């Protein structure tokens, strides 16, 4: 069974970012299940409840249990759906910080579907100019179709139909990428150990 980790960096509740993440996950699962013998499950990782732990991990190098579990869920998945709101022409600080505390080799060759939400369509280029390059640096296998949803895309029927089309295409892209993936599944405990801050300071005395 294929495991898809779905990371949502939405800051509000309810969140259009989480809504888009759910829709993309449903589309990917549907596309996988259309394949012979295909089956998939989804693991959700919401970053908002982990915000304080993410900042602490950046400052100390130590991940608290809930954050470590979230990181492991992403690292050990077969594919990733990553959705962030757009702030200042890029992904949110929370989303970027989560990637910063994840081992830089953990997403190598992982099929990734990237998406973003924003107030207006003028932010849509952030996917290509600010978000995709981050995952390219991490050597992830990012699918061609990135999905951006502005506030208006949730409005009239015509706009919703257009968004639905982009979501279906992105889900199909991710299903294809999973089938063609050369990724070797990783175990979180096989990644380099992250030492806590106290141990690092203790080593200075020797």
């Amino acid at each position: 069974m294929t495991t898809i980790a779905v990371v949502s960096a939405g800051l509000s509740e309810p969140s259009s970012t989480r809504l888009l993440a759910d829709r993309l996950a449903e589309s990917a699962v549907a596309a996988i299940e259309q394949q012979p013998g295909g089956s998939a499950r989804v693991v959700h990782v919401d970053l908002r409840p982990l915000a304080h732990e993410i900042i602490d991990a950046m400052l100390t190098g130590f991940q608290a249990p809930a954050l470590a579990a979230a990181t492991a869920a992403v690292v050990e998945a077969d594919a990733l759906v990553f959705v962030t709101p757009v702030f200042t022409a890029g992904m949110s600080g929370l989303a970027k910080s989560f990637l910063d505390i994840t081992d830089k080799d953990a997403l190598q060759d992982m099929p990734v579907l990237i998406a973003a939400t924003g107030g207006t369509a003028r932010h849509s280029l952030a996917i290509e100019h600010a978000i995709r390059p981050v995952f390219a640096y991490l050597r992830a296998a990012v699918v061609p179709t990135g999905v951006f949803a502005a506030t208006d895309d949730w409005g009239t029927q015509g706009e919703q139909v257009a968004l639905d089309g982009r979501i279906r295409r992105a889900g199909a892209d991710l299903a294809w990428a999973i089938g063609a993936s050369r990724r070797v599944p990783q175990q979180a405990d096989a990644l380099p150990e992250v030492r806590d801050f106290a141990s690092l300071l203790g080593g200075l005395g020797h």
Side-chain angles (χ1 to χ4, degrees):
M1 178 176 289
T2 299
T3 299
I4 302 173
V6 180
V7 174
S8 172
L11 299 182
S12 60
E13 291 184 349
S15 167
S16 61
T17 301
R18 174 60 192 263
L19 176 59
L20 179 58
D22 289 344
R23 295 276 304 279
L24 290 167
E26 291 169 1
S27 176
V29 169
I32 291 170
E33 292 180 344
Q34 288 177 0
Q35 301 172 351
S39 62
R41 70 184 187 100
V42 172
V43 178
H44 289 282
V45 177
D46 288 318
L47 299 187
R48 184 178 185 272
L50 300 170
H52 291 293
E53 293 187 9
I54 290 171
I55 297 303
D56 289 342
M58 292 195 70
L59 295 175
T60 66
F62 174 76
Q63 294 189 17
L67 178 57
T71 304
V74 171
V75 170
E76 295 171 8
D78 300 300
L80 172 64
V81 174
F82 192 92
V83 190
T84 175
V86 172
F87 292 136
T88 320
M91 70 173 68
S92 72
L94 183 61
K96 181 59 165 60
S97 296
F98 179 74
L99 293 175
D100 286 342
I101 64 168
T102 302
D103 184 88
K104 64 180 179 62
D105 297 319
L107 301 184
Q108 182 175 342
D109 294 327
M110 177 179 279
V112 176
L113 193 169
I114 55 176
T117 57
T120 66
R122 65 190 177 91
H123 297 298
S124 60
L125 290 178
I127 288 182
E128 302 302 327
H129 291 278
I131 300 173
R132 191 179 295 273
V134 174
F135 285 94
Y137 172 79
L138 297 172
R139 292 173 290 169
V142 186
V143 302
T145 304
V147 178
F148 180 85
T151 301
D152 289 346
D153 288 318
W154 306 104
T156 66
Q157 183 176 358
E159 289 160 337
Q160 289 185 28
V161 168
L163 177 60
D164 288 345
R166 298 197 298 273
I167 289 173
R168 285 195 300 272
R169 178 169 179 172
D173 280 358
L174 187 62
W176 180 90
I178 292 169
S181 176
R182 62 181 182 181
R183 175 176 169 80
V184 177
Q186 300 192 50
Q187 297 295 321
D189 55 9
L191 296 174
E193 180 182 359
V194 178
R195 298 179 61 191
D196 63 83
F197 194 54
S199 297
L200 292 173
L201 288 178
L204 295 177
H206 298 288

